[in-house]
């Protein structure tokens, strides 16, 4: 049965980011991989060679969540930490505990991020990217997105104050929507109370008579007024065009300013332990819906799109038929516990005489033989899936 690659090497090469599957022992599996060109979302196959495998600028990933496109900046989202929480019919289920976002802007930025992520993986949970806090550049922020507290992330969603009044509008909107959780305040008040422009009142007859008496120059004066009106309209049009250009520039500037903070939020979001995946089990359907004939298809092709949370992120891989790099994830909850029902020492029947407290204990209990004939060993598994339509 085809499945996603369980382990990948992410290599920051000179001609792009290379992604290729490896075995559990770290040895290459096959000779084909995927190359992501810098500055684009183009996905292409490449032939792996000894030079790529010998590169030290690489990290080991447990899967690919997809490609994040922020316009001027693009990133590869890799799963760098996971935890097994259940096992269904011998197939493990994992939750995502940490991700790394590799920039696709240039080789320099990619190398810096990959090296920092590799060092963090070696150190485990200790001080991730200590030196990156002193860097204020966007490149430094892109490499240091692997560490930030929830409080810092919440504050980061507020746009920084800009000097110009044009930039205050998106700042106010973002603050009202995100920080105030839908309490739009002044923005909504102005928007929903916006009335159509009122028509100019008709000039009174008495004023019209005075105006007719005060125009003795006739056609010459009318021509002058017409020319002045045309000049004023041209100037107003020019100002309107300049204003549109300024607004577009302001929006682009705001996106570039918020990019590092968006990345931190994405890292916190995907590492919240609410995303689950399996390399060879379809978490989007129940056991009753599983069909033996459908297991010959790649996992992403039989995955229910209503629960395929990273489908848009992995679309470039789907379009290029890179099935090994496509790992569908769900958002929700997966829990599993093992327990036993039997007779207690006091003679009470049908009572719980033993239960696992940790997911690892429940997984380990599935391979153990029955401990006693007077008790029944049971396993309960709960899978809760959240639809993408409720995002």
């Amino acid at each position: 049965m085809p499945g996603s690659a369980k382990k990948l090497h992410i290599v920051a090469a000179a001609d792009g980011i290379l992604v290729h599957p490896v075995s559990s022992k770290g040895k290459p599996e096959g000779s084909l991989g995927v190359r992501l060109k810098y500055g684009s979302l183009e996905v292409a196959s490449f032939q792996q060679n000894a030079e790529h495998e010998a590169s030290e600028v690489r990290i080991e990933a447990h899967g690919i969540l997809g490609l994040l496109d922020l316009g001027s900046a693009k990133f590869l989202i890799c799963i760098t930490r996971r935890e097994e929480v259940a096992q269904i019919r011998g197939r493990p289920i994992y939750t995502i505990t940490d991700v790394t976002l590799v920039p696709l802007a240039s080789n320099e930025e990619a190398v810096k991020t990959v090296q920092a992520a590799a060092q963090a993986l070696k150190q485990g949970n200790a001080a991730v990217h200590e030196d990156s806090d002193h860097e204020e550049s966007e490149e430094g922020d892109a490499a240091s997105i692997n560490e930030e507290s929830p409080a810092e992330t919440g504050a980061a969603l507020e746009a920084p104050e800009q000097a110009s009044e044009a930039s205050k509008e998106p700042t106010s909107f973002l603050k009202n929507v995100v920080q105030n959780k839908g309490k739009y305040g002044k923005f909504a008040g102005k928007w929903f109370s916006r009335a159509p422009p009122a028509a100019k009142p008709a000039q009174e007859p008495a004023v019209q008579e005075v105006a007719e008496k005060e125009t003795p120059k006739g056609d010459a004066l009318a021509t002058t007024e017409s020319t002045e009106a045309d000049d004023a309209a041209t100037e107003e049009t020019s100002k309107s065009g300049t204003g549109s250009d300024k607004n577009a520039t302001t929006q682009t500037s705001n996106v570039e300013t918020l990019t590092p903070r968006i990345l931190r939020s994405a890292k916190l979001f995907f590492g919240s332990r609410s995303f689950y995946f399996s390399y060879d089990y379809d978490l989007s359907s129940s056991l009753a819906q599983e069909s033996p004939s459908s297991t010959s298809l790649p996992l992403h092709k039989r995955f229910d799109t209503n629960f395929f949370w990273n489908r848009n992120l992995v679309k470039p891989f789907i379009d290029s038929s890179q099935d090994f790099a496509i790992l569908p994830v769900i958002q929700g909850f997966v829990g599993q516990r093992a327990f036993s029902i039997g007779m207690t020492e006091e003679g009470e029947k049908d009572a719980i005489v033993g239960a696992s407290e940790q997911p690892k204990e429940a997984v380990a209990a599935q391979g153990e033989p029955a401990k006693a004939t007077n008790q029944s060993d049971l396993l309960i598994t709960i899978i809760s899936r959240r639809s993408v339509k409720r995002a």
Side-chain angles (χ1 to χ4, degrees):
M1 180 180 65
S4 305
K6 298 182 179 180
K7 188 174 292 187
L8 300 164
H9 275 173
I10 313 297
V11 182
D15 53 351
I17 299 295
L18 307 181
V19 181
H20 60 87
V22 296
S23 65
S24 57
K25 297 182 180 180
K27 300 296 181 181
E29 285 187 344
S31 58
L32 292 180
V34 172
R35 175 185 286 111
L36 305 172
K37 293 186 178 180
Y38 292 122
S40 71
L41 296 179
E42 182 179 347
V43 178
S45 300
F46 83 98
Q47 193 76 18
Q48 184 179 319
N49 54 40
E51 180 181 353
H52 295 144
E53 183 58 27
S55 175
E56 296 181 357
V57 187
R58 65 182 180 184
I59 56 174
E60 193 173 84
H62 301 294
I64 300 295
L65 279 178
L67 298 172
L68 179 62
D69 186 4
L70 299 179
S72 59
K74 300 169 178 60
F75 298 83
L76 174 68
I77 309 177
C78 315
I79 302 173
T80 49
R81 287 192 178 94
R82 65 183 182 182
E83 180 181 330
E84 186 175 358
V85 295
Q87 195 175 97
I88 302 176
R89 293 181 175 178
R91 288 168 285 190
I93 312 298
Y94 300 93
T95 182
I96 301 173
T97 58
D98 195 14
V99 298
T100 296
L101 291 93
V102 182
L104 300 177
S106 65
N107 174 256
E108 182 181 357
E109 292 186 21
V111 167
K112 183 176 180 179
T113 301
V114 169
Q115 288 177 339
Q119 184 65 22
L121 290 175
K122 290 181 180 179
Q123 296 176 353
N125 295 325
V128 181
H129 304 310
E130 296 177 354
D131 296 337
S132 60
D133 293 335
H134 302 289
E135 299 179 6
E136 299 179 355
S137 64
E138 182 175 338
E139 177 184 342
D141 285 328
S144 64
I145 57 177
N146 290 308
E147 181 180 86
E148 183 162 1
S149 64
E152 291 174 340
T153 302
L157 288 174
E158 298 184 26
E161 297 183 358
Q162 303 291 337
S164 63
E165 294 183 359
S167 62
K168 290 183 180 179
E169 293 183 0
T171 300
S172 176
F173 174 78
L174 185 64
K175 181 176 180 181
N176 285 328
V177 173
V178 179
Q179 185 181 17
N180 297 335
K181 300 180 180 179
K183 299 177 183 179
Y184 302 110
K186 295 181 180 180
F187 177 82
K190 292 181 179 179
W191 178 266
F192 292 109
S193 64
R194 185 177 296 174
K200 293 183 179 181
Q203 196 174 15
E204 297 180 1
V207 178
Q208 291 181 358
E209 292 178 1
V210 174
E212 291 177 358
K213 293 180 180 180
E214 293 179 355
T215 54
K217 294 185 179 181
D219 295 340
L221 181 57
T223 302
T224 303
E225 292 177 350
S226 176
T227 303
E228 292 177 353
D230 292 341
D231 293 342
T234 303
E235 183 179 355
E236 185 67 24
T237 302
S238 177
K239 289 182 179 180
S240 176
T242 305
S244 300
D245 294 341
K246 288 183 178 179
N247 290 337
T249 304
T250 301
Q251 292 176 359
T252 303
S253 176
N254 288 338
V255 171
E256 292 177 353
T257 303
L258 291 173
T259 292
R261 293 159 184 176
I262 293 174
L263 297 181
R264 295 191 186 101
S265 302
K267 179 178 174 60
L268 179 66
F269 180 62
F270 287 117
S272 61
R273 302 178 71 92
S274 63
F275 289 92
Y276 298 83
F277 67 92
S278 176
Y279 297 108
D280 44 20
Y281 180 77
D282 185 3
L283 284 173
S284 66
S285 62
S286 63
L287 291 174
Q289 295 174 332
E290 187 177 7
S291 173
S293 60
S294 65
T295 57
S296 59
L297 295 173
L299 181 60
H300 71 91
K301 291 186 178 180
R302 46 194 169 92
F303 212 84
D304 191 342
T305 55
N306 288 324
F307 307 107
F308 197 160
W309 271 76
N310 60 326
R311 189 172 186 274
N312 290 332
L313 294 176
V314 297
K315 193 175 185 303
F317 294 98
I318 295 176
D319 295 340
S320 58
S321 300
Q322 303 293 344
D323 295 336
F324 78 91
I326 303 171
L327 183 63
V329 301
I330 67 168
Q331 187 184 36
F333 171 79
V334 177
Q336 189 175 70
R337 291 294 183 271
F339 62 98
S340 300
I341 295 179
M343 182 180 295
T344 64
E345 296 178 355
E346 292 78 11
E348 183 181 357
K349 295 182 179 180
D350 298 332
I352 297 178
V353 295
S356 62
E357 297 181 358
Q358 300 296 330
K360 293 181 179 180
E361 297 177 3
V363 172
Q366 297 183 47
E368 297 179 357
K371 297 180 181 179
T373 57
N374 62 345
Q375 70 180 35
S376 299
D377 297 328
L378 302 175
L379 185 72
I380 182 171
T381 304
I382 298 177
I383 300 177
S384 175
R385 296 177 290 264
R386 186 182 187 186
S387 172
V388 297
K389 296 178 181 179
R390 297 180 63 86

